[in-house]
Amino acid sequence: MVTLARWAAALRPDQVPERVLSLAASQLLSQLAAIRAGAEQPLGARMVEAFGPPFQDDPRTSACVLAGLGSWLNLDDTAYAGHLSPSTVAVPLAYAHHLGLDGAALLTAIVAANECAARVTAAATLGPLRGQSALHTHLVGAVAGRLHCEGATAATWTDALGLALAQPPWPLLRAFLASDARLFSTFAPVRTAMDACDAATAGFHGPPDLLEHPDGFLARFATVPLADAVTAGLGERWHTDTLSFKMHPGGPGVDAAIDCALDLHHDLALGHLDGADAIEEVVVETSLYTLTAQRTAERYVHGPGAPLGALVLHTPYTVATALLTGDLSVADFTAPGRDEESRWRIARRVRLVHDPAMTRALLASEAPFGEAIRHAGPDATAWLEGFGGPDLVAMAATARPDRAPADFTGAHKATGARVTVRLADGRTAARERLIPHGAAGPHTRRHHARLMRRKFTALGGPDHVAEAVGEIGEMAPAALRSWTEAALS
């Protein structure tokens, strides 16, 4: 933790590769889109009523509100490892606005927060908490994002990280998937991190060896601790290179199936048919990762009225909605769209099938946990067996090379799906996608700025804000302040 803190505290814009800063700019625009979407929903409005607007005089509370609004609809971006943006973007955004920082400082703080949060999350990836349930990601991301903006010393960073991680959250699925408590999944750890920063600044000391100590964080939160992942390749292997951007609301593993369903809606001209009667069967062949998420969701999803937290993980509903409407938006997870019987009639005809080749491709990709499995080597066996049984252990044995990549510039996230639709008129059509639209891979590396402009404007963001995303790094403080306020107006 000491080494990570020293490196991140000293990070300056000219030390960050231009491609990484460009990704951070797209990440900023993407998370602003998620915050907009969250604020426009009734529950988001209640959060603002309770705690105030996204930008307010108190940057601590501003950081918490921005984090809460941007996470609960599953429009937040991910990396290897972790759902980073609700803290690594929201907190620097709040403090850059409050302190009057320029665009270069904001982007560098986002990168510093990404690198710290992703590395600590990677160290515990082979454990019981993954994805949005790994709330410790936000303890680290929030501390790093704030302290970089404030120019704090490395010693303050070390103390704040030790204090923040002293009592890390362990979420309960019942609350997370089926109640309004979901809105506090990032709000609460960010608030804890803000207290840790205040305490460290006042002279409180946190344990500098808390990550690796036998009685510390990894001992409790990792089945297979990967302590050296925290500092491996600092300044060379940029975890920001592994970013995957969310193009639709939806939980982990469903993105490729949604992409395929959207294509099939147009291929089959389903908009001109009564989809509920025209579609006889839908088969989704996918990896064990998606099947695991579906098994979790189906415990809470039984038809109309399903809770949003579980519905975003539910492959049959999301695929059925995309096939029927040719879209999947935030409105599809609330009434009245969520309760349309025609969607549920199709959802009941959706069948998920395991495709071992897609599971092998998943294990071979860096995100969401392939790199952790490679890093752990034979030590990953117990975690793999617990996640997917002996067959998964056998697949992993040949999926990843033994040697770590020199950097993450070729990182990808292969959470694939093949969707086949059989119609009542006898027609059959299929679509397949290995890397979801917007996920880490060659296409996203080339086009992330364009994709995030599309996401932002699709969620109601002003065109002029989206078009200026490439200029963020050159913005003076006043220009940045105006741009960020316009983004959420």
Side-chain angles (χ1 to χ4, degrees):
M1 197 152 63
V2 174
T3 300
L4 181 65
R6 287 174 179 166
W7 176 82
L11 188 65
R12 296 296 175 262
D14 60 0
Q15 297 172 305
V16 184
E18 185 58 38
R19 71 175 190 281
V20 175
L21 291 172
S22 178
L23 281 163
S26 290
Q27 183 186 7
L28 172 59
L29 187 65
S30 176
Q31 193 61 16
L32 284 166
I35 293 165
R36 286 185 63 91
E40 290 174 0
Q41 300 303 304
L43 280 178
R46 290 178 205 166
M47 174 170 278
V48 171
E49 181 180 355
F51 300 103
F55 292 127
Q56 51 187 281
D57 290 340
D58 177 14
R60 293 165 36 93
T61 306
S62 180
C64 295
V65 172
L66 287 163
L69 293 175
S71 64
W72 68 283
L73 294 174
N74 276 70
L75 283 164
D76 54 318
D77 307 310
T78 65
Y80 170 71
H83 284 246
L84 304 182
S85 295
S87 58
T88 66
V89 172
V91 177
L93 182 62
Y95 276 85
H97 186 268
H98 177 74
L99 296 170
L101 302 185
D102 61 20
L106 172 57
L107 293 183
T108 306
I110 291 172
V111 172
N114 282 345
E115 297 303 313
C116 291
R119 288 166 176 276
V120 172
T121 306
T125 285
L126 302 183
L129 301 177
R130 290 176 298 280
Q132 285 195 329
S133 69
L135 300 183
H136 46 269
T137 299
H138 304 303
L139 295 174
V140 178
V143 165
R146 172 179 169 176
L147 294 185
H148 199 279
C149 286
E150 293 182 329
T153 66
T156 301
W157 280 64
T158 302
D159 286 327
L161 288 168
L163 293 166
L165 287 165
Q167 300 176 76
W170 192 292
L172 303 179
L173 277 181
R174 172 70 179 87
F176 182 75
L177 294 181
S179 82
D180 293 350
R182 181 181 183 85
L183 272 78
F184 290 93
S185 63
T186 55
F187 185 104
V190 168
R191 173 157 281 182
T192 296
M194 296 301 95
D195 290 341
C197 290
D198 288 341
T201 301
F204 283 70
H205 297 298
D209 61 350
L210 185 63
L211 288 175
E212 69 273 19
H213 193 277
D215 294 326
F217 171 76
L218 290 176
R220 177 70 181 274
F221 280 74
T223 306
V224 185
L226 302 175
D228 51 345
V230 174
T231 56
L234 279 172
E236 297 175 357
R237 302 177 81 213
W238 297 90
H239 281 248
T240 304
D241 274 324
T242 71
L243 278 171
S244 289
F245 299 99
K246 294 288 293 187
M247 299 302 295
H248 317 284
V254 306
D255 302 282
I258 294 168
D259 291 337
C260 292
L262 293 173
D263 288 341
L264 287 164
H265 172 87
H266 298 290
D267 293 348
L268 294 169
L270 292 176
H272 302 289
L273 303 174
D274 181 354
D277 292 326
I279 297 172
E280 287 203 344
E281 183 184 40
V282 182
V283 177
V284 179
E285 298 168 87
T286 188
S287 72
L288 187 63
Y289 179 63
T290 303
L291 293 174
T292 299
Q294 171 60 20
R295 283 196 292 268
T296 300
E298 65 190 10
R299 288 151 47 189
Y300 297 94
V301 176
H302 306 291
L308 182 148
L311 200 57
V312 293
L313 301 172
H314 196 260
T315 302
Y317 174 81
T318 55
V319 167
T321 299
L323 284 170
L324 186 64
T325 69
D327 193 13
L328 187 70
S329 69
V330 172
D332 292 312
F333 294 94
T334 56
R338 173 201 61 189
D339 300 331
E340 289 180 2
E341 181 56 32
S342 58
R343 302 183 186 197
W344 291 102
R345 286 171 63 189
I346 299 173
R348 295 182 191 105
R349 299 167 190 166
V350 176
R351 179 165 54 92
L352 271 64
V353 177
H354 181 216
D355 185 319
M358 288 188 178
T359 296
R360 283 191 287 271
L362 170 78
L363 294 169
S365 64
E366 284 75 13
F369 45 70
E371 174 61 14
I373 293 168
R374 182 213 59 76
H375 191 151
D379 291 341
T381 299
W383 183 87
L384 285 163
E385 188 153 358
F387 187 80
D391 289 345
L392 189 63
V393 176
M395 291 181 196
T398 57
R400 294 286 296 151
D402 294 334
R403 181 175 298 178
D407 57 40
F408 285 136
T409 54
H412 62 296
K413 184 178 184 179
T415 51
R418 183 185 306 106
V419 178
T420 303
V421 175
R422 183 166 58 85
L423 299 182
D425 63 13
R427 288 184 295 158
T428 299
R431 280 286 191 133
E432 178 176 343
R433 179 178 285 273
L434 185 60
I435 297 177
H437 204 46
H443 183 270
T444 298
R445 277 188 283 278
R446 290 192 300 270
H447 302 293
H448 58 84
R450 176 175 58 81
L451 292 171
M452 292 310 100
R453 288 195 297 268
R454 183 193 308 168
K455 173 181 176 178
F456 182 77
T457 55
L459 289 167
D463 289 338
H464 74 276
V465 171
E467 291 304 318
V469 66
E471 304 166 14
I472 295 171
E474 306 301 322
M475 286 183 184
L480 179 66
R481 186 181 184 91
S482 297
W483 183 85
T484 54
E485 289 177 352
L488 298 182
S489 64

